[in-house]
Amino acid sequence: MPPPPTKTSFVCLPCRASYKQFYRGDHERRCPQCRQLLMYTGSAFETPRKRDNEGWRVLSVLLHAGIRFPKGCCSGPGYRPRTLREVRERMAHAKATGEPIAQALVRPELP
């Protein structure tokens, strides 16, 4: 018997809304409010508060860099920056070293 379907998170950045939906193998969903495509975030995603401008800006940078929030076996999704300062530091590190931006953004500590 196959395992039951699991729910995962999708967000609409313009509406600042998050939706838990059953994962069906596809990532194409539309926002029920504005009808724009929802972005797949993963099952370990925690939504910032609607008025948390910095949190949504950080989330936007992460999602556009291709970073998601998968649920790991024991450790969750791993490190994700929470402030614009952390994002800027990692982006500067990526530019200075040539490290891919997505890799630099999930780096817990900078050398």
Side-chain angles (χ1 to χ4, degrees), residues 84-95:
L84 288 173
R85 179 174 169 249
E86 291 174 328
V87 168
R88 280 190 216 104
E89 289 172 349
R90 281 151 182 78
M91 298 275 280
H93 172 75
K95 186 176 180 179

Side-chain angles (χ1 to χ4, degrees), residues 48-95:
R49 293 189 183 272
K50 204 164 198 141
R51 292 182 300 212
D52 180 4
N53 294 330
E54 183 176 20
W56 282 97
R57 286 180 65 194
V58 169
L59 176 62
S60 178
V61 170
L62 294 175
L63 293 178
H64 284 101
I67 297 168
R68 301 299 184 254
F69 300 80
K71 189 174 282 186
C73 168
C74 303
S75 61
Y79 173 80
R80 301 294 186 262
R82 292 188 172 264
T83 65
L84 288 173
R85 179 174 169 249
E86 291 174 328
V87 168
R88 280 190 216 104
E89 289 172 349
R90 281 151 182 78
M91 298 275 280
H93 172 75
K95 186 176 180 179

Side-chain angles (χ1 to χ4, degrees), residues 7-104:
K7 284 190 174 184
T8 190
S9 294
F10 294 83
V11 297
C12 178
L13 293 173
C15 295
R16 292 187 175 185
S18 173
Y19 304 95
K20 285 264 191 192
Q21 298 182 353
F22 285 107
Y23 181 75
R24 298 183 308 249
D26 67 330
H27 296 303
E28 190 167 310
R29 312 286 167 85
R30 296 228 173 243
C31 175
Q33 295 177 43
C34 70
R35 304 303 302 156
Q36 290 196 26
L37 283 176
L38 294 173
M39 295 186 83
Y40 169 75
T41 56
S43 55
F45 174 70
E46 291 182 28
T47 310
R49 293 189 183 272
K50 204 164 198 141
R51 292 182 300 212
D52 180 4
N53 294 330
E54 183 176 20
W56 282 97
R57 286 180 65 194
V58 169
L59 176 62
S60 178
V61 170
L62 294 175
L63 293 178
H64 284 101
I67 297 168
R68 301 299 184 254
F69 300 80
K71 189 174 282 186
C73 168
C74 303
S75 61
Y79 173 80
R80 301 294 186 262
R82 292 188 172 264
T83 65
L84 288 173
R85 179 174 169 249
E86 291 174 328
V87 168
R88 280 190 216 104
E89 289 172 349
R90 281 151 182 78
M91 298 275 280
H93 172 75
K95 186 176 180 179
T97 63
E99 182 176 18
I101 290 173
Q103 189 175 335

